[in-house]
Amino acid sequence: MSYTSLQQLVDRVQSSDYGTRTVSVINATESHVLEAIRDAEKDGLVTPILFGDQAVINEQLVKLCMEPTDYIVEHADSPEQAAIMAGQSLASGRADFLVKGNISTGKMLKALFSTEADFRTGGYISHLSIIELPNHPKLFGLTDAAINITPTLEEKKAIIRNAVGTMLAMGFATPKVAVLASTEVVDEKTPSTIDAAALKVAGMAGEFGDCVVEGPISYDLAMDPESAEIKQFDSPIQGDADLLVCPEIVSANILIKALRYAGYSRSAGIVVGGRGPIVLTSRAAATQDKYWPLVLAASATIGKHQQSSR
């Protein structure tokens, strides 16, 4: 299926037979994170475990009119220790996904990637955004705007594999994957077009699972059926992409910000490829901006639960 709004993902989680998802919050001493957790809990999406300085967390809970005794709070002496403890909760099955609280992304990932945290499974870590764009008929994904700077061809394969697997778990049916470039023609002077063509071949060989891969393809042909028709671009996608794969982090970051500030989109992103998703948002982000990634992660983990129980 396809979705027309982020709210439909909320509905999917709420109607699931698998109940709320347990989320471990890394250094849960920041009010906006706790507010987002409170809202998601109120909507029946998550049950939290809060890691960090217990006294500070309890103080923040009281300020937000949240009763500390209603929550599991596990003390950590440092943000890094909180990350390790949260990773262990995921590895042990206590939690379904993680949320970054009051800790820098670099410190969090370094702690999670340690042997002690047991977060990594040998796979490749990447970032996936899901975007709701006004006047566009459906939600679509974009990768990778946050983690991988200049991925190699093999790393791009892992990024696509992560994104497709996550979108399938969220309920997207056979995602149409557009490997973006400046043109739909392979040009030896433009390495991104060469990689895109190779990724299309890999997709046709079934390397990414249940999806359709097109590349190289320009943004207009991936997202606008009229442009594809005018240019007589013959492809299964033809303006109907479900997932945009950018050649590197600069183009991905520019595109997602252009869609937000010029296109007035709403988006949410999660880190995928480990034992479970990580909700990764700016510490300066507003509460609502931290709510939607919780929805994505909850939806993805419910989907994986459904797949594993078949």
Side-chain angles (χ1 to χ4, degrees), residues 204-224:
M204 293 174 66
E207 288 192 32
F208 310 126
D210 183 17
C211 66
V212 176
V213 180
E214 181 61 81
I217 182 171
S218 57
Y219 178 85
D220 56 337
L221 300 183
M223 296 293 285
D224 181 36

Side-chain angles (χ1 to χ4, degrees), residues 225-309:
E226 185 177 354
S227 294
E229 183 178 352
I230 290 171
K231 291 188 177 182
Q232 297 182 331
F233 183 68
D234 185 18
S235 166
I237 290 183
Q238 289 188 315
D240 190 36
D242 294 298
L243 174 64
L244 305 179
V245 180
C246 295
E248 31 64 38
I249 198 171
V250 174
S251 58
N253 196 272
I254 290 171
L255 177 54
I256 198 168
K257 287 178 178 176
L259 290 170
R260 176 167 185 171
Y261 292 105
Y264 303 102
S265 69
R266 289 196 299 183
S267 65
I270 54 177
V271 175
V272 294
R275 290 196 182 278
I278 308 174
V279 171
L280 186 67
T281 56
S282 168
R283 283 175 286 176
T287 300
Q288 191 65 17
D289 291 331
K290 293 183 177 179
Y291 174 85
W292 292 116
L294 291 169
V295 174
L296 297 193
S299 181
T301 54
I302 281 177
K304 288 181 179 178
H305 191 134
Q306 290 172 333
Q307 291 170 354
S308 64
S309 64

